[in-house]
Amino acid sequence: MLRRFRWWQAFSRSLFHLRLVDATGMPETWSVDVRHGGDDDGVVWVELYRDGHPYARSASPATFPVPGGTIEVATSGFGLRRAHFVAYDGSERQLAPDPSSAEGRRARLEQTSPTVSHALSTASLIVLVVALVLAVPQLIETVTQFPPIAERIGAFESPIRLPAWLNISLVVAALAASTERALRLRYNRVLDGGLFDGDE
């Protein structure tokens, strides 16, 4: 049976629901449960439940056939980047987050305090853009200092040099910003680390 969401699972588990009607016209609830820590091999599994009962299981990214279409789920390094129902006609809609989950609480903030929600969303985007602009030149300089690379393309000297404490602060801020975006299922390969994760 599907276990209810506990508060301490806020950043280790995602739980989303979808209400559909089966072939006989009866309503049913499909639930997607993702434990982000993965198994002993690091594989993140997506578990699908129908009316609280186990139905299917697949490694992420996962696609499950359900009445009227498919449920598509994909993870990132910070949470979910996709949990959508794609109908046979091509239309799609995001599954509803469980109210007790971190995604559910973030969605509730968007409904009850849209101004605060928009400010958080904007701040997250700004943090990631600033972190990218400041970090990339320093990263390129570090990489090109290796003798084999320096001999082939030359060493790059970054015009930006930040103290260690500020670089660490940028990393922490970027992690928080990407996590906030993941709670809204917002994902960009450049801003949210997909280029380095090997995502397609």
Side-chain angles (χ1 to χ4, degrees):
M1 292 293 291
L2 179 64
R3 297 186 178 184
R4 68 188 185 91
F5 200 96
R6 304 289 186 175
W7 65 267
W8 62 80
Q9 299 172 324
F11 297 106
S12 64
R13 181 186 182 194
S14 291
L15 182 59
F16 282 75
H17 307 287
L18 173 69
R19 287 173 175 79
L20 295 174
V21 176
D22 67 13
T24 65
M26 294 294 293
E28 55 188 10
T29 299
W30 296 84
S31 303
V32 168
D33 191 1
V34 182
R35 309 297 176 107
H36 296 291
D39 60 15
D40 293 338
D41 297 320
V43 178
V44 176
W45 293 94
V46 180
E47 297 184 322
L48 181 68
Y49 293 78
R50 183 174 67 179
D51 291 331
H53 298 279
Y55 185 84
R57 184 173 185 252
S58 174
S60 174
T63 301
F64 301 108
V66 294
T70 58
I71 290 176
E72 298 180 356
V73 181
T75 59
S76 73
F78 303 97
L80 288 189
R81 59 187 172 103
R82 183 168 177 78
H84 286 68
F85 169 70
V86 181
Y88 291 141
D89 63 7
S91 62
E92 59 181 70
R93 58 187 164 112
Q94 182 179 306
L95 276 63
D98 190 272
S100 299
S101 68
E103 292 90 347
R105 294 175 187 277
R106 181 63 182 83
R108 187 159 58 252
L109 176 65
E110 188 170 348
Q111 294 174 351
T112 59
S113 304
T115 302
V116 174
S117 175
H118 181 70
L120 277 176
S121 303
T122 302
S124 295
L125 182 61
I126 292 173
V127 165
L128 289 176
V129 170
V130 170
L132 186 67
V133 169
L134 295 179
V136 167
Q138 297 181 87
L139 181 61
I140 294 174
E141 179 183 66
T142 300
V143 171
T144 58
Q145 295 301 316
F146 290 103
I149 298 177
E151 291 172 5
R152 296 192 68 174
I153 63 174
F156 172 76
E157 186 173 339
S158 172
I160 301 172
R161 294 181 183 277
L162 301 178
W165 68 267
L166 186 51
N167 277 322
I168 292 173
S169 298
L170 276 176
V171 169
V172 172
L175 290 174
S178 287
T179 299
E180 190 280 329
R181 284 169 54 81
L183 294 180
R184 296 180 289 118
L185 273 64
R186 299 294 187 271
Y187 181 83
N188 179 278
R189 291 185 67 225
V190 176
L191 293 179
D192 299 299
L195 289 175
F196 301 100
D197 291 339
D199 294 333
E200 295 297 335

